[in-house]
RNA sequence: AGAGAGGUGUCCGAGUGGUUUAAGGAGCACGCUUGGAAAGCGUGUAUACGGCAACGUAUCGGGGGUUCGAAUCCCUUCCUCUCUGCCA
């Protein structure tokens, strides 16, 4: 959520930056400031009257103690009059506050200065490419054929148990998932991240804080009986650890990592793009999250990008890093780098990680603050990234490491899997 | 799921309708004292909104109500603990 005070002081800049994100209603900036003016005015007159009521009430207490009933009664009448004035003010103020809130939540985060212009994924900027594309054996297959051939994942039975997009991992496929999770978590904790295992369902307040609600309600599974949401990413529960918290400056940076299954309803895509493990409703992911001093978030974003890159390099997969353009970025993000690995058999790039700096967009929404050296309260910055999303890594390894007789494994994973080859 | 007890400041904890402007204690910070430390003494120690400021307003888990006045009374909801039940 954007801060009104910021919009007030940077009206034109805000509009300019919203345009980079292709935000359709720049005039909403003016609406918000007008509503805030109205709120201030209402509060001033409300406070003034309420102050009179409070001091008169105290007086009544003193008069009663003295036994001056007559004067006490007279004061009561006066207070009654003021309270009548208060009623409509209170109602109006509540309405203005709701209107203001409803307007504010519509703003996406403003893009960082480094964000390139552009509308669609084609306009994302290639930062760098790494790794080597493997020479596949003749008759190389895509992962959806390989997992069938070697009985690693059974989509049909998953669909029978639940529905389409809920894969059932079997035997070595299941063990391989476990090995990946374990490896990613160890890799992250070795870099200083603290491991968490969070709840996989969250309440509405948490979903609001990280920006899933109110707009993206349809993308989450909702357990209506208890009003809980299945998490679309561990970012939601883990970032919410620090909702309504005032930290000490010395606590920063906070570095967290968490494994969780992720649940996404994501309606809308068809065909080859969603085949096999490319897009599913339930998948596993290991996430990294940081809460940092606002002066440090640019630097930390680079650290996180370097961290994920190192992890990909250790898996020996061909990858590229993209800086997302304004039109392709997420709602809450100020700047995002996407990681893609090359699927040799599908001959296309698969997104496996997305690392973003949210600056104060989430922390303002969830009131995550810290007290600086001067004793002033400031909003922290939050960042997160996947490290890594499993299904597409699974797919990429299966495809890129296929041999004539089976599937090999990156060195880093062999001890975790307990064998030199997957098959 | 049933019955009961609770939720107060950074922490512990008092407070059952009106000088509570939330007692008292601990912790922390600063100062005094000291050769240095401890002890002692003093001062300070929540957040949000409005205001140049003085200050005002709100907040005792959340929401609503009664009252001139609510931490305190009523309703509702969430959470924690104990016992019982069920359960991996």
């Amino acid at each position: 959520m954007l801060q009104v005070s910021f919009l007030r002081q940077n009206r034109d800049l805000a509009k300019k930056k919203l345009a980079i994100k292709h935000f359709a209603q720049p005039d909403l900036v003016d609406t918000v400031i007008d509503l805030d003016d109205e709120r201030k005015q209402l509060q001033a007159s409300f406070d003034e009257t309420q102050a009179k009521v409070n001091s008169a009430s105290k007086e009544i207490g003193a008069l009663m103690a003295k036994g001056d009933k007559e004067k006490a009664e007279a004061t009561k009448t006066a207070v009654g009059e003021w309270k009548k004035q208060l009623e409509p003010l209170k109602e109006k103020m509540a309405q203005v506050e709701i209107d203001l809130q409803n307007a504010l939540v519509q703003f996406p985060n403003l893009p960082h200065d480094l964000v390139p212009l552009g509308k669609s994924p084609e306009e994302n900027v290639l930062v760098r490419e790494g790794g080597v594309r493997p020479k596949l054996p003749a008759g190389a297959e895509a992962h959806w054929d390989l997992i069938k051939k070697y009985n690693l994942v059974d989509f049909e039975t998953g669909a029978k148990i639940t529905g389409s997009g809920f894969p059932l991992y079997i035997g070595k496929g299941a063990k391989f998932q476990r090995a990946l999770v374990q490896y990613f978590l160890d890799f992250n904790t070795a870099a200083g991240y603290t491991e968490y295992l969070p709840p996989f369902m969250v309440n509405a307040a948490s979903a609001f804080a990280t920006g899933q609600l109110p707009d993206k309600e349809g993308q989450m599974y909702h357990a209506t009986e208890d009003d809980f949401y299945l998490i679309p990413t561990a970012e939601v529960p883990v970032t919410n650890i620090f909702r309504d918290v005032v930290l000490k400056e010395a606590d920063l940076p906070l570095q967290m990592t968490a494994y969780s299954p992720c649940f996404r309803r994501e309606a809308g895509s068809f065909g080859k793009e969603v085949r096999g493990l490319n897009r599913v409703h339930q998948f596993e992911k290991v996430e990294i999250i940081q809460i940092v001093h606002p002066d440090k978030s640019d630097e930390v974003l680079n650290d996180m990008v370097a961290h994920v890159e190192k992890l990909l390099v250790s898996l020996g997969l061909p990858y590229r890093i993209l800086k997302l353009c304004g039109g392709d970025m997420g709602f809450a993000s100020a700047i995002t780098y996407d990681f893609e690995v090359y699927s040799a058999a599908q001959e296309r790039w698969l997104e496996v990680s997305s690392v973003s700096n949210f600056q104060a967009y989430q922390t303002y929404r969830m009131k995550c603050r810290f007290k600086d050296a001067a004793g002033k309260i400031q909003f922290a910055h939050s960042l997160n990234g996947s490290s890594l999303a499993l299904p597409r890594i699974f797919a990429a390894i299966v495809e890129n490491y296929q041999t004539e007789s089976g599937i090999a494994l990156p060195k880093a994973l062999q001890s975790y899997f307990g064998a030199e080859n997957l098959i």
Side-chain angles (χ1 to χ4, degrees), chain A residues 48-260:
Chain A
E48 198 187 324
T49 310
Q50 184 66 52
K52 285 198 272 189
V53 170
N54 286 347
S55 68
S57 294
K58 225 171 259 177
E59 225 173 278
I60 291 169
L63 289 168
M64 299 281 258
K66 263 196 287 178
D68 193 346
K69 281 212 167 145
E70 207 174 302
K71 207 166 172 194
E73 284 304 322
T75 312
K76 272 193 198 183
T77 316
V79 169
E81 284 306 309
W82 290 325
K83 287 195 65 167
K84 266 185 219 154
Q85 296 171 25
L86 240 36
E87 274 312 307
L89 273 177
K90 206 171 154 185
E91 273 171 40
K92 213 166 172 188
M93 212 155 71
Q95 189 54 52
V96 168
E97 263 161 34
I98 289 167
D99 292 346
L100 182 60
Q101 180 76 5
N102 287 343
L104 272 177
V105 296
Q106 291 181 52
F107 290 114
N109 200 359
L110 300 178
H112 194 282
D113 287 338
L114 297 173
V115 170
L117 298 176
K119 251 187 178 159
S120 61
E122 290 74 48
E123 289 164 277
N124 293 337
V125 172
L126 179 67
V127 177
R128 60 181 170 269
E129 218 171 309
V132 182
R133 298 187 194 185
K135 282 218 170 74
L136 295 187
E141 295 169 274
H143 74 271
W144 48 79
D145 292 324
L146 290 165
I147 56 180
K148 209 164 203 171
K149 182 161 147 194
Y150 296 119
N151 197 30
L152 300 173
V153 185
D154 180 347
F155 287 100
E156 286 75 18
T157 306
K160 181 179 92 174
I161 299 167
T162 306
S164 80
F166 288 89
L168 174 71
Y169 296 85
I170 303 171
K172 287 181 173 176
K175 187 175 181 185
F176 187 40
Q177 284 278 310
R178 177 154 58 89
L180 286 169
V181 169
Q182 193 92 326
Y183 173 60
F184 294 164
L185 283 171
D186 283 351
F187 189 88
N188 295 340
T189 54
Y193 290 87
T194 301
E195 183 175 343
Y196 287 80
L197 185 62
F200 299 153
M201 288 184 164
V202 295
N203 57 30
S206 292
F208 175 83
T210 35
Q212 277 70 33
L213 293 180
D215 281 350
K216 277 155 254 152
E217 186 151 17
Q219 292 181 25
M220 286 187 293
Y221 288 97
H222 188 191
T224 52
E225 185 82 12
D226 297 289
D227 198 20
F228 293 152
Y229 294 88
L230 273 77
I231 57 171
T233 158
E235 163 201 342
V236 179
V238 173
T239 313
N240 269 283
I241 295 169
F242 304 99
R243 170 154 53 87
D244 293 321
V245 168
V246 180
L247 298 155
K248 298 189 203 88
E249 185 165 0
D251 294 337
L252 304 177
L254 292 161
Q255 303 177 288
M256 289 80 67
T257 185
Y259 150 78
S260 86

Side-chain angles (χ1 to χ4, degrees), chain A residues 40-54:
Chain A
K40 282 186 187 187
Q41 226 169 23
L42 286 167
Q43 169 143 17
S45 53
F46 180 88
D47 283 1
E48 198 187 324
T49 310
Q50 184 66 52
K52 285 198 272 189
V53 170
N54 286 347

Side-chain angles (χ1 to χ4, degrees), chain A residues 163-413:
Chain A
S164 80
F166 288 89
L168 174 71
Y169 296 85
I170 303 171
K172 287 181 173 176
K175 187 175 181 185
F176 187 40
Q177 284 278 310
R178 177 154 58 89
L180 286 169
V181 169
Q182 193 92 326
Y183 173 60
F184 294 164
L185 283 171
D186 283 351
F187 189 88
N188 295 340
T189 54
Y193 290 87
T194 301
E195 183 175 343
Y196 287 80
L197 185 62
F200 299 153
M201 288 184 164
V202 295
N203 57 30
S206 292
F208 175 83
T210 35
Q212 277 70 33
L213 293 180
D215 281 350
K216 277 155 254 152
E217 186 151 17
Q219 292 181 25
M220 286 187 293
Y221 288 97
H222 188 191
T224 52
E225 185 82 12
D226 297 289
D227 198 20
F228 293 152
Y229 294 88
L230 273 77
I231 57 171
T233 158
E235 163 201 342
V236 179
V238 173
T239 313
N240 269 283
I241 295 169
F242 304 99
R243 170 154 53 87
D244 293 321
V245 168
V246 180
L247 298 155
K248 298 189 203 88
E249 185 165 0
D251 294 337
L252 304 177
L254 292 161
Q255 303 177 288
M256 289 80 67
T257 185
Y259 150 78
S260 86
C262 303
F263 302 93
R264 300 196 182 175
R265 295 185 67 219
E266 20 199 346
S269 276
F270 299 96
K272 205 176 176 189
E273 300 228 331
V274 301
R275 231 180 134 181
L277 288 165
N278 287 354
R279 184 165 297 184
V280 283
H281 288 307
Q282 180 186 314
F283 62 95
E284 332 289 310
K285 182 157 63 64
V286 174
E287 186 81 356
I288 48 175
I289 296 116
Q290 293 211 36
I291 308 267
V292 306
H293 192 287
D295 295 346
K296 295 279 167 60
S297 67
D298 285 343
E299 188 186 316
V300 168
L301 180 67
N302 291 334
D303 290 349
M304 288 171 76
V305 167
H307 176 78
V308 173
E309 184 172 11
K310 233 170 84 188
L311 182 52
L312 276 176
V313 166
S314 79
L315 294 174
L317 292 171
Y319 67 92
R320 66 179 187 185
I321 305 175
L322 300 170
K323 181 154 67 178
L324 297 194
C325 70
D328 197 34
M329 264 165 58
F331 190 74
S333 171
I335 178 166
T336 298
Y337 291 94
D338 268 8
F339 283 75
E340 298 182 335
V341 297
Y342 191 72
S343 155
Q346 296 179 63
E347 295 180 331
R348 57 188 286 257
W349 293 94
L350 301 173
E351 183 191 331
V352 294
S353 176
S354 188
V355 183
S356 302
N357 184 358
F358 298 90
Q359 297 182 331
Y361 191 85
Q362 291 181 326
T363 52
Y364 178 64
R365 229 170 143 107
M366 74 168 84
K367 308 272 174 279
C368 169
R369 295 156 294 175
F370 72 95
K371 199 172 256 187
D372 67 20
K376 228 185 105 200
I377 301 281
Q378 292 191 48
F379 288 99
H381 280 190
S382 70
L383 305 96
N384 69 53
S386 354
S387 174
L388 292 158
L390 266 75
R392 293 176 193 164
I393 290 288
F394 191 116
I397 289 176
V398 165
E399 290 178 6
N400 283 290
Y401 280 84
Q402 63 183 301
T403 62
E404 267 153 33
S405 56
I407 298 166
L409 279 175
K411 265 223 153 49
L413 288 173

